[in-house]
Amino acid sequence: MTLFDTHAHYTDEQFDEDRDAVLAALPAADVARVVVPGVNIASSRRGAALAEAYPYVWAAAGVHPHDAAEAPPDMEAALAELAGRRKVAAIGEIGLDYHYDFSPRDVQRAVFRRQMEVARALSLPVIIHDREAHADVLEIVRAFPDVRGVFHCYSGSLESAKVLTSLGWHLSFTGVVTYKNARRLLEVAAWLPGDRLLIETDAPYLTPEPHRGRRNDSRHIRLVAEALSRARGASPEEIAALTWENGHRLFSKIC
Ligand SMILES: [Zn+2]
């Protein structure tokens, strides 16, 4: 089994003590591709450097909605420079977060739109963060019909999933699918067309059961694949192969 973790924050300070040890241990756990998303320009640069250092690590460059208020005026130029590098495969993570509201909502929307424009101009896929902001996220992604990507850590309804897949989007599932209250989410995962399915850890967050409460890393992606295999009536190996293929198709710079 060869696994593709499409979203893991190895630039997070929770990995400051042992980042290289964790990354070096991934191939032995059958994790052969990882995408490290950026949350601001500085972390995007650190993620790109990690991608340069590890052949199986790739980066995305972006400004998270939490950090939107600090987006620099020259954000577009900084993202374009990063996106020109061989190991930067996407724009992300970008979107809206109305749960924490760390940046004002109008600023979040403006920064999200500006980054969708960068993705369109550079023909790159995007990684979307949508928390309690679905109507506004949908309105913005609809305004960019030629931009494709993934709704990371999908947590929405089956109805929303049907709309998003009809618009060409992928949905990605985390360790949340292993939690007790995941029944509705597993219904979405069971319904989802096979070619739109992706998996991720969102490390260091959202640690799957039975490790919940501890720091997450990509070695736990197997538990996400196993939970989805039960929901979809497929083997874990089939889920791994499907999400491997889908990840490479969506993030087409990754080889
Ligand atoms: Zn994330």
Side-chain angles (χ1 to χ4, degrees), residues 80-117:
E81 185 276 314
L82 282 159
R85 303 187 195 183
R86 187 182 71 88
K87 294 295 295 286
V88 176
I91 299 298
E93 66 180 279
I94 64 176
L96 303 176
D97 192 312
Y98 293 173
H99 179 75
Y100 288 107
D101 281 324
F102 287 156
S103 292
R105 292 182 180 184
D106 58 333
V107 176
Q108 291 188 40
R109 286 191 291 269
V111 169
F112 181 23
R113 279 203 189 87
R114 286 167 60 195
Q115 295 183 95
M116 289 293 283
E117 280 164 15

Side-chain angles (χ1 to χ4, degrees), residues 226-247:
E226 286 170 1
L228 292 177
S229 79
R230 290 188 290 273
R232 292 178 66 89
S235 68
E237 290 76 14
E238 285 168 331
I239 298 296
L242 188 60
T243 54
W244 176 271
E245 187 185 321
N246 293 345

Side-chain angles (χ1 to χ4, degrees), residues 7-9 37-39 64 93 127 129 152-153 200 202-203 205:
H7 198 108
H9 292 278
V39 297
H64 193 284
E93 66 180 279
I127 300 167
H129 175 103
H152 114 84
C153 189
E200 63 175 288
D202 202 19
Y205 314 108

